[in-house]
Amino acid sequence: MRRRSGIAAFAAVALAVTSCIIAEPPTDSARLPVARPTIIHGSVVPPASAVLGRFPTTFIVPVELFDPTATFEYAAWIDFNPATGEGLEFWSTSEFTQANTQGRVRTLEIPLRAPPDDRCHVIEVIVALRLAGQSGTGAHAALDPGGDIVTWHYNPSGDVAGCPALDAGIDAAVPDAGADADAGDGSIP
């Protein structure tokens, strides 16, 4: 009899402990760390490693996100002028949808009109969790934790011969015809 009451007491205690564990409210899920969006440079269309001889109607830019549900901002530029902030063609926010996100990659399709003249142009797309503004130089500057940029060179003749060199404070903004135009990771600190 004592043995049965001992087993019954043990079962009651075990049931009470199990009930307490089940009755505890769930904890909040862990938050993902904040990380900059990163352009997958090898997958942009058209490829950024060659001079464009024909201006495409759409630029496709795949962006990898640490948190695939994160919202980020992006801007497209043709011939950005850092002194005046001119050249902004397109600014937008990218939000998560099943249609534009696959895994951790969100694909941007950016329609741009060809410049009206037949000279060299530099096309840039910048992505960041937040840009410093929606116009002028602010739309060309990423706020913390930074952003990423991809650059194309367009010349109807198909090469960079005759294109002016851009002084962006780096050694060479326009690569040699035989050099890889996308040698760096393109990130904006």
Side-chain angles (χ1 to χ4, degrees):
M1 182 81 153
R2 280 189 174 175
R3 186 176 175 112
R4 279 192 201 176
S5 63
I7 293 174
F10 176 75
V13 170
L15 183 61
V17 169
T18 305
S19 298
C20 291
I21 293 172
I22 294 173
E24 288 183 26
T27 60
D28 290 337
S29 58
R31 290 198 150 240
L32 295 173
V34 176
R36 71 178 178 89
T38 303
I39 294 170
I40 304 172
H41 290 265
S43 298
V44 298
V45 176
S49 59
V51 176
L52 304 176
R54 187 176 60 81
F55 201 90
T57 56
T58 303
F59 290 81
I60 299 172
V61 181
V63 179
E64 186 174 23
L65 301 160
F66 190 77
D67 175 3
T69 64
T71 298
F72 66 91
E73 297 175 351
Y74 62 100
W77 296 83
I78 297 178
D79 300 330
F80 170 62
N81 184 335
T84 63
E86 294 174 299
L88 180 64
E89 294 290 319
F90 191 85
W91 181 97
S92 189
T93 300
S94 177
E95 296 183 3
F96 171 79
T97 67
Q98 291 294 336
N100 71 358
T101 306
Q102 195 157 54
R104 292 180 14 187
V105 177
R106 186 160 321 147
T107 302
L108 303 175
E109 294 186 20
I110 305 169
L112 290 176
R113 288 177 297 179
D117 54 17
D118 286 340
R119 65 178 183 85
C120 298
H121 294 279
V122 176
I123 300 97
E124 299 171 299
V125 172
I126 298 165
V127 298
L129 292 180
R130 283 200 50 230
L131 294 169
Q134 294 181 11
S135 62
T137 57
H140 201 276
L143 298 176
D144 281 340
D148 205 357
I149 187 170
V150 61
T151 303
W152 291 270
H153 297 278
Y154 164 71
N155 187 0
S157 70
D159 62 21
V160 291
C163 292
L166 302 174
D167 182 9
I170 56 176
D171 294 333
V174 178
D176 295 333
D180 182 12
D182 200 12
D185 73 354
S187 65
I188 301 172

